Amino acid sequence: LTKEYQKMDSVLQKLLAVSVPVSASAYHLLTLNRIGAYRDLLYNLSVASSDPIRARLVIDKIPTTLVSALRIYIELSTYFKLQNIVFSSQEAGYMFTVGYTIK
């Protein structure tokens, strides 16, 4: 959990540095909030041995936090489709292209 927390913290810091167009700002903020919630959940679970009450308080939030984080992909895909933004296979955004599969 600690390694995953550190990974999500790094992702969050990179997302904070990304410049986005005004039309995508709501999606960007939503992504930041959901990644931050997932990161915080991981942290709270990772300290279960030293702070079991903190871990217990977040256990009930696991399903909603995970589903919200996973929905980021669907929402960003929808945004790019509505804005007619197309990515080539060499661009990082290609994963949002219809028909893309993880290799």
Side-chain angles (χ1 to χ4, degrees), residues 30-103:
L30 190 64
T31 300
L32 289 171
N33 288 333
R34 289 182 180 175
I35 295 294
Y38 178 62
R39 180 203 59 179
D40 294 345
L41 175 79
L42 291 170
Y43 175 77
N44 290 330
L45 292 173
S46 73
V47 296
S49 62
S50 61
D51 192 354
I53 293 174
R54 177 188 296 243
R56 173 58 189 105
L57 291 173
V58 298
I59 285 179
D60 296 337
K61 297 178 183 177
I62 292 172
T64 56
T65 302
L66 290 176
V67 169
S68 291
L70 292 172
R71 286 193 55 78
I72 294 168
Y73 172 80
I74 295 167
E75 291 161 359
L76 288 175
S77 292
T78 301
Y79 168 76
F80 292 133
K81 185 177 178 181
L82 290 172
Q83 296 293 320
N84 287 327
I85 298 172
V86 180
F87 297 99
S88 73
S89 60
Q90 276 65 49
E91 294 177 296
Y94 187 68
M95 67 181 281
F96 297 105
T97 303
V98 174
Y100 171 79
T101 55
I102 298 173
K103 297 178 182 177

